[in-house]
Amino acid sequence: MREDEASSGPRVLIYSHDTFGLGHLRRSRAIANAIVSGDVRARAVIVSGSPVIDRFAFAPGVRTVRLPPVVKFLDGGYGSRDAAVPLDRTVALRTDIITRTCAAFAPDMIVVDKEPAGFHGELLPTLEWAFERGIRLVLGLRDVLDEADRLVPEWERKGAVDTMARFYDEIWVYGLSRIHAPLAALPMEAETATRIAERLTYTGYLRRDLPERRPGRAEPAMAKGPFILVTAGGGGDGAALTDWVIAAYEADSGIPLPALIAFGPFLDDAARSGFDARIRGLDGRVSAITFDSEIEFLMSKAAGVVAMGGYNTFCEILSFDRRAILVPRTEPRREQAIRALAAEGLGLVRVLMEEDGREPERMAAALRALPDQTEPSRVLVPGLLGGLEAVARRVRALAGSGVGHHRVRAYS
């Protein structure tokens, strides 16, 4: 008897490689929570490499399995978080954990976040196992992957298109094609392109709601009045944004609203110490916290948001209808810039590109104007936030259907 067989609802395993930041984990959590909230019989397991997964709360019916974490270096390479362990040994251990988890959980379907073959191909044995058993396989992609000149060689090196075409029953893009079509630039043979197009669904963005408040949750004193929330996501690449905002408050004492900065759990300790010292000199106009796993509460209260423009933060800005300034990173990917500039073109946000100059006065002017920006809800974009509902519908349809691998067997 398979684990937890008493549940007769859909059983969904979600794989999230999580080599950097919080984006993949937070997206996977939103999807898993939506699956179980739409069907009390449903069960979901998230298999993730995030080192902070235990700091997040999940809905009843969602369990997590933590993989040994890896880190991404500035040159684009990877290593084990434990530097004494060779990367290939860590990948082998992660592969074993994934396969054993699948065997124990016996899912009806597997949803893979972003990487068709998993980190360094670690998911391939599980894909083969699931393929042979007729388990439904779905690849979930955020709205933007990267610019074509970066995405194409990366996916060619990984054999991602072949993996996608061979194994996956459906491909879900958590966004809208009018903002970006993430697979459009990939070179494919006509037959493969047709098959991929037949399996492709644009779900819309993933709406976020306020989570159930944890007992004893305390919020910063600044959140009791009007404030600007500055969030750098995981913080590992957010130092430049934080520096620019602090410099704006140092240069302009008349910015009308104070700022609350969420540094992120991966901000370098030395950078954090330097920012703390500068903040102490700003007479209470700026305060900071390290991390809030329920940042939705702060987002919903803020008069405006300054962020880098990662996928999850963008979904929250739309969901809570916050006026926003996005300062997207452009290295090692231009994903955030592509998303931010497309959203600005629709009138949803304002964008400041660092490449156009990081003068403190430029950020200060944007912070002054932020309270008068148009809310995203004033812009009519059909289907903008329908992602979770679309995902729940597809889970119900696929998990209980006879849709199988007859389509992909002809390709393999």
Side-chain angles (χ1 to χ4, degrees):
M1 184 173 73
R2 70 184 184 182
E3 178 188 295
D4 195 23
E5 191 173 10
S7 169
S8 59
R11 307 169 65 81
V12 183
L13 185 138
I14 300 173
Y15 164 84
S16 177
H17 68 290
D18 287 291
T19 59
F20 186 72
L22 300 175
H24 302 288
L25 171 60
R26 295 180 67 213
R27 181 164 57 247
S28 297
R29 179 182 66 156
I31 291 168
N33 287 351
I35 289 170
V36 300
S37 66
D39 185 343
V40 295
R41 304 168 304 157
R43 297 292 181 266
V45 169
I46 299 175
V47 181
S48 168
S50 173
V52 295
I53 193 170
D54 56 346
R55 297 173 68 176
F56 287 85
F58 296 85
V62 178
R63 295 193 300 106
T64 63
V65 174
R66 179 174 168 179
L67 300 173
V70 296
V71 295
K72 187 173 185 178
F73 303 128
L74 293 176
D75 63 2
Y78 294 90
S80 303
R81 182 167 289 271
D82 182 350
V85 180
L87 180 61
D88 59 352
R89 186 182 304 171
T90 296
V91 172
L93 179 56
R94 286 166 60 107
T95 299
D96 182 61
I97 292 172
I98 295 166
T99 56
R100 287 191 288 110
T101 298
C102 275
F105 182 57
D108 299 303
M109 60 185 303
I110 298 173
V111 178
V112 174
D113 187 65
K114 183 180 176 290
E115 293 287 344
F119 175 72
H120 281 221
E122 67 186 2
L123 199 61
L124 288 172
T126 294
L127 295 178
E128 294 279 6
W129 176 88
F131 179 87
E132 292 300 324
R133 287 159 178 79
I135 294 169
R136 311 303 173 232
L137 294 170
V138 174
L139 178 65
L141 301 175
R142 66 185 181 224
D143 57 340
V144 183
L145 296 173
D146 204 348
E147 280 190 329
D149 61 350
R150 306 187 194 194
L151 177 65
V152 170
E154 176 186 348
W155 274 47
E156 287 182 341
R157 174 174 53 82
K158 295 177 178 179
V161 170
D162 288 341
T163 300
M164 183 169 55
R166 178 185 178 194
F167 289 111
Y168 288 97
D169 293 297
E170 294 196 1
I171 301 158
W172 300 341
V173 177
Y174 307 125
L176 297 177
S177 59
R178 67 181 298 182
I179 288 184
H180 191 69
L183 301 180
L186 293 173
M188 302 181 198
E189 295 181 359
E191 185 178 359
T192 301
T194 298
R195 287 177 174 149
I196 295 297
E198 290 172 348
R199 304 173 201 177
L200 187 63
T201 296
Y202 285 88
T203 67
Y205 290 90
L206 306 178
R207 184 186 300 276
R208 307 304 166 89
D209 296 315
L210 291 178
E212 183 175 343
R213 189 182 292 267
R214 291 183 298 178
R217 172 184 168 82
E219 289 187 343
M222 186 175 287
K224 296 178 181 178
F227 70 99
I228 294 171
L229 176 64
V230 181
T231 172
D237 55 0
L241 169 63
T242 299
D243 173 74
W244 198 2
V245 171
I246 293 174
Y249 279 88
E250 290 171 333
D252 187 343
S253 61
I255 297 173
L257 294 179
L260 173 61
I261 300 175
F263 288 135
F266 305 125
L267 178 66
D268 177 80
D269 288 342
R272 161 87 192 241
S273 296
F275 291 147
D276 282 335
R278 292 168 64 188
I279 288 171
R280 286 194 293 271
L282 288 171
D283 301 322
R285 293 187 297 129
V286 177
S287 65
I289 59 174
T290 299
F291 173 59
D292 187 344
S293 64
E294 298 174 335
I295 201 168
E296 295 93 340
F297 287 107
L298 295 177
M299 182 82 70
S300 67
K301 290 183 176 182
V305 177
V306 182
M308 295 171 62
Y311 180 85
N312 293 283
T313 302
F314 182 62
C315 288
E316 289 159 354
I317 287 168
L318 298 180
S319 299
F320 299 116
D321 202 21
R322 299 299 89 180
R323 301 173 174 93
I325 301 166
L326 298 185
V327 185
R329 73 170 183 227
T330 55
E331 295 292 340
R333 301 183 184 277
R334 287 191 60 86
E335 164 231 334
Q336 292 184 357
I338 294 169
R339 176 183 303 111
L341 292 170
E344 184 180 49
L346 292 174
L348 297 169
V349 298
R350 177 177 179 181
V351 176
L352 294 182
M353 298 296 296
E354 290 189 70
E355 58 200 37
D356 295 330
R358 294 186 69 253
E359 296 82 7
E361 296 78 12
R362 187 163 169 252
M363 175 62 76
L367 293 170
R368 281 178 171 273
L370 183 57
D372 297 321
Q373 280 184 213
T374 300
E375 299 97 331
S377 63
R378 301 287 295 275
V379 181
L380 180 60
V381 182
L384 183 63
L385 282 169
L388 291 179
E389 293 83 357
V391 165
R393 286 195 301 270
R394 294 312 305 152
V395 167
R396 290 193 297 269
L398 277 178
S401 75
V403 175
H405 294 91
H406 61 279
R407 293 180 300 168
V408 292
R409 289 187 189 281
Y411 179 83
S412 58

